[in-house]
Amino acid sequence: NAGVMQNPRHLVRRRGQEARLRCSPMKGHSHVYWYRQLPEEGLKFMVYLQKENIIDESGMPKERFSAEFPKEGPSILRIQQVVRGDSAAYFCASSRDVGETQYFGPGTRLLVL
Amino acid sequence: AQSVSQHNHHVILSEAASLELGCNYSYGGTVNLFWYVQYPGQHLQLLLKYFSGDPLVKGIKGFEAEFIKSKFSFNLRKPSVQWSDTAEYFCAVNGGDKIIFGKGTRLHILP
């Protein structure tokens, strides 16, 4: 039973480029959550999605960040025109239903040069 | 506003010492409480959780936590730590769809 999968595990981008982070939830899970961990900080909620729907994006920066969870395929967190402050670890979690235990993936560590 | 506060940012203990990591939360409604652990180079793993029932929760690897509603606390304990417990520990509260995390406690166990 594969857990939550994320790729790539490490991503290096130059300022102004785009970053695409992928997350495949656990089998049977249709709820996906993205969190960001800045250095010396805890994880901060970004967005919660169900298949084809954004349910709660209260933690997403208003510009340059977007997320999707299409009917087929992984959830994608997209960061356009990256800046150095976007450097962080981005974690995806999934759950069977809202309010149930969230299981986390290994994270993608984004470094913006 | 919902928040989670972890009392110590860094803790250093010798093997066999007893451990207690403090966690307090602020949330107005019914909460689910968690402790997650992140071993060096690995991803977050669920250590234990409290949803309802017995406020003393037992988790993996000999860890336990006690939910004290009157104190809004969910402290993590282990009677005798091992070198392999070196990791970062996150207390978290789930109120609704999102999890609110504390800033984490880095635990170093000296062999």
Side-chain angles (χ1 to χ4, degrees):
Chain A
N1 184 17
V4 178
M5 298 174 69
Q6 289 186 250
N7 68 81
R9 295 290 303 277
H10 299 272
L11 184 60
V12 180
R13 285 287 178 266
R14 296 191 182 280
R15 280 178 298 169
Q17 291 184 318
E18 179 180 286
R20 278 182 180 242
L21 288 60
R22 294 175 189 78
C23 169
S24 296
M26 282 179 70
K27 188 176 180 181
H29 289 192
S30 59
H31 300 252
V32 165
Y33 314 80
W34 285 93
Y35 295 83
R36 177 167 62 175
Q37 184 180 29
L38 293 167
E40 303 299 318
E41 300 259 343
L43 280 77
K44 295 267 194 309
F45 169 80
M46 298 181 76
V47 62
Y48 159 44
L49 310 102
Q50 279 183 272
K51 280 290 185 183
E52 301 183 273
N53 292 306
I54 295 175
I55 307 301
D56 182 349
E57 56 182 346
S58 58
M60 285 277 269
K62 294 287 184 279
E63 297 176 348
R64 300 187 298 108
F65 284 72
S66 62
E68 62 177 15
F69 189 16
K71 188 176 180 181
E72 301 290 337
S75 175
I76 307 276
L77 179 68
R78 184 180 175 209
I79 312 172
Q80 295 178 288
Q81 300 174 323
V82 294
V83 301
R84 287 216 176 107
D86 296 333
S87 295
Y90 292 82
F91 289 92
C92 169
S94 73
S95 68
R96 194 180 305 274
D97 202 349
V98 65
E100 293 198 4
T101 302
Q102 295 180 20
Y103 294 90
F104 283 78
T108 295
R109 280 154 180 80
L110 172 65
L111 176 62
V112 180
L113 302 176
Chain B
Q2 304 161 16
S3 66
V4 176
S5 174
Q6 291 186 237
H7 305 168
N8 308 99
H9 196 50
H10 285 99
V11 173
I12 301 174
L13 294 172
S14 297
E15 273 192 310
S18 64
L19 169 72
E20 180 158 4
L21 300 183
C23 172
N24 287 91
Y25 67 94
S26 169
Y27 185 73
T30 301
V31 292
N32 299 326
L33 296 156
F34 306 84
W35 277 95
Y36 283 89
V37 60
Q38 189 173 26
Y39 296 103
Q42 297 188 28
H43 61 281
L44 276 171
Q45 298 174 41
L46 182 66
L47 203 54
L48 49 79
K49 62 185 178 183
Y50 171 80
F51 278 23
S52 64
D54 188 345
L56 185 61
V57 180
K58 295 199 183 296
I60 60 170
K61 304 188 181 185
F63 286 91
E64 64 178 31
E66 186 174 13
F67 170 51
I68 303 179
K69 190 174 180 180
S70 61
K71 295 184 178 180
F72 297 93
S73 71
F74 191 55
N75 292 356
L76 181 71
R77 298 194 293 250
K78 185 170 183 177
S80 177
V81 294
Q82 299 172 306
W83 178 79
S84 57
D85 293 325
T86 294
E88 189 158 16
Y89 293 80
F90 294 93
C91 181
V93 58
N94 180 330
D97 55 14
K98 64 176 74 74
I99 293 182
I100 311 295
F101 284 88
K103 290 193 174 183
T105 297
R106 290 191 180 176
L107 175 65
H108 296 272
I109 305 299
L110 304 175

